[in-house]
Amino acid sequence: MAGRIQAITISELVNFYENPRHAIASSEEDTLKKLFEAVGNQYMLNLAEDVQQNGLLGNQQIVVVYSDEVKKYVVYEGNRRVAAIKLLLNPDSFSFLDKATIDKAKKIGQQGGIPEVINCYVTDESDAFFIMERLHSGEDKGRGIKQWTAREKEAFKV
C-alpha cells in the first residue's frame, strides 16, 4: 500500500459510478440517485445526521483515486458518507429526492458542523479495490472485519 492522507474539498470528490451497491451510473447525479435508491432516503438522512453530530469516524478513511479523466478524486470507499455530506452542503442539488427529504436535509445542515474538507486516503485503483474487498466481504478467515456476536454486543454494553 503506497497511499497517503490528504485533505480534499468535497467539491473535488465524485462518487464511484460503478459502486457495487447499485447499478452502473452515467453521471455524478445518476450515481447519487442510484445510491439513495439502493440505501434508502431515511437511512441516508440518518447517516447525514450522524455525520453532522459526530463527524467522520477517524478509523474509517474515505478512500479515493485521482482520475485524470474527470480531474477529480473518485470515492471508492466511503460513498455513502460523502453523499451524505454533499446532501447536507447542497440539498437543493438533489432534485431526484422528494421535498420532505430535502427539507429534512436542510434542517440537519442548518445545525452546522458539516465538513467542507475531509481527510482522505489517496491511492491507486488496485489498492482501493483491495481495501473495499477487505472491508465489505466479511471476516474472510480472520483477514476482514468480524461482526460482533449477540454475546459480544452485550459484553460491550457493560
Side-chain angles (χ1 to χ4, degrees), residues 10 12-19 22 25 27-32 35-36 44 70 72-84 86 94:
I10 296 297
E12 292 180 277
L13 299 173
V14 293
N15 289 74
F16 187 37
Y17 291 15
E18 297 181 39
N19 186 329
H22 55 72
S27 67
E28 172 73 355
E29 182 179 8
D30 189 39
T31 301
L32 293 169
L35 181 61
F36 273 72
M44 290 300 295
V70 296
K72 291 188 177 196
Y73 295 89
V74 177
V75 178
Y76 279 66
E77 177 58 37
N79 280 278
R80 290 182 320 115
R81 289 170 280 155
V82 169
K86 288 178 180 183
F94 286 70

Side-chain angles (χ1 to χ4, degrees), residues 90-152:
N90 193 3
D92 288 323
S93 69
F94 286 70
S95 59
F96 56 86
L97 294 175
D98 59 273
K99 184 179 180 332
T101 301
I102 291 171
D103 289 345
K104 288 176 187 174
K106 286 179 180 178
K107 185 175 179 181
I108 295 166
Q110 288 171 349
Q111 297 174 36
I114 315 306
E116 294 189 35
V117 177
I118 58 175
N119 287 328
C120 298
Y121 181 72
V122 182
T123 191
D124 60 31
E125 188 173 70
S126 174
D127 192 23
F129 282 145
F130 173 80
I131 292 167
M132 288 170 67
E133 181 179 19
R134 192 52 58 90
L135 289 175
H136 294 285
S137 62
E139 185 178 351
D140 189 24
K141 299 179 184 171
R143 292 183 288 254
I145 296 175
K146 182 181 183 307
Q147 293 287 329
W148 278 347
T149 65
R151 187 200 58 75
E152 290 166 336

Side-chain angles (χ1 to χ4, degrees), residues 1-59:
M1 295 196 193
R4 68 188 182 287
I5 303 296
Q6 181 178 325
I8 301 175
T9 62
I10 296 297
S11 62
E12 292 180 277
L13 299 173
V14 293
N15 289 74
F16 187 37
Y17 291 15
E18 297 181 39
N19 186 329
R21 290 191 190 280
H22 55 72
I24 295 174
S26 59
S27 67
E28 172 73 355
E29 182 179 8
D30 189 39
T31 301
L32 293 169
K33 180 181 180 199
K34 288 178 190 284
L35 181 61
F36 273 72
E37 287 171 353
V39 174
N41 291 354
Q42 188 57 56
Y43 279 43
M44 290 300 295
L45 282 170
N46 292 347
L47 177 59
E49 187 171 38
D50 184 62
V51 169
Q52 184 276 323
Q53 291 174 353
N54 302 304
L56 295 172
L57 297 178
N59 69 327

